[in-house]
Amino acid sequence: TLKLTPYPVDIPRIALKAPVAGDPAPPLDGGEWYRGAPSKAPFRIYFFWATWCGRCKAAVPALLDFEKRHPGIPIYAITTDDSETLDGFFRSWKGSFPSRVLMQVHQKINRAYGVSGIPIFFVVDASNKILSVQNGFAERVGLEFERSLPAATSRSKQTKP
């Protein structure tokens, strides 16, 4: 008779420890700009999203409104979608979208930020410190991370992205 025994395989576990407010922001290594470019603005919003994500798309009008009210705080829309997928998405997308889109097909940035669900937003300051993190989006709540920006708001209007 044939006796089956499991092959001893040690599969490494990847711990996704998301940085929290006060932590240094991991670098955006492993990304390629689909459109736009990095900004030297003193504050930035990192918006992790995907073309298939309904909650991510629901957040876009609030993000565009945020951009109008805070023109000096750029939004980086960071996705794991490739350029072909993004081309199709933007051909069919009705309306505006944040101007900076960063692709990271191999999810290196997602791993660095501990992203396990989207949308998720990180507010990063000039010293590259995370000021706040918002998991998810609901229209009734809006962009909760804005509450972490009282000092940033006045300074952001003086600095062009």
Side-chain angles (χ1 to χ4, degrees):
T1 65
L2 182 61
K3 182 179 178 188
L4 298 175
T5 58
Y7 185 77
V9 176
D10 190 18
I11 300 172
R13 300 222 183 259
I14 299 172
L16 295 177
K17 184 207 172 287
V20 297
D23 286 350
L28 298 178
D29 295 340
E32 179 182 334
W33 290 98
Y34 175 77
R35 67 179 188 199
S39 169
K40 294 189 189 285
F43 297 90
R44 300 169 307 282
I45 308 300
Y46 296 168
F47 164 47
F48 288 83
W49 72 289
T51 57
W52 50 264
C53 171
R55 291 285 87 210
C56 300
K57 291 185 259 189
V60 170
L63 286 166
L64 293 172
D65 181 58
F66 175 88
E67 270 188 328
K68 284 180 189 166
R69 290 181 288 111
H70 306 281
I73 302 178
I75 296 169
Y76 292 20
I78 303 169
T79 183
T80 58
D81 292 314
D82 60 22
S83 61
E84 186 177 324
T85 302
L86 289 171
D87 288 345
F89 173 79
F90 286 115
R91 271 194 302 274
S92 65
W93 179 255
K94 307 290 186 237
S96 296
F97 198 86
S99 59
R100 290 174 172 83
V101 178
L102 182 63
M103 301 179 300
Q104 40 114 20
V105 178
H106 299 293
Q107 298 197 24
K108 184 176 180 182
I109 301 168
N110 273 21
R111 286 193 303 273
Y113 279 83
V115 174
S116 60
I118 53 175
I120 186 169
F121 308 85
F122 291 85
V123 178
V124 179
D125 73 7
S127 65
N128 214 40
K129 183 176 85 176
I130 294 173
L131 294 181
S132 70
V133 180
Q134 177 180 335
N135 284 291
F137 178 79
E139 288 90 349
R140 64 178 165 46
V141 177
L143 300 174
E144 293 174 307
F145 66 75
E146 271 193 88
R147 295 183 196 123
S148 70
L149 292 173
T153 302
S154 61
R155 286 185 272 180
S156 70
K157 292 178 182 171
Q158 299 169 7
T159 307
K160 293 287 180 202

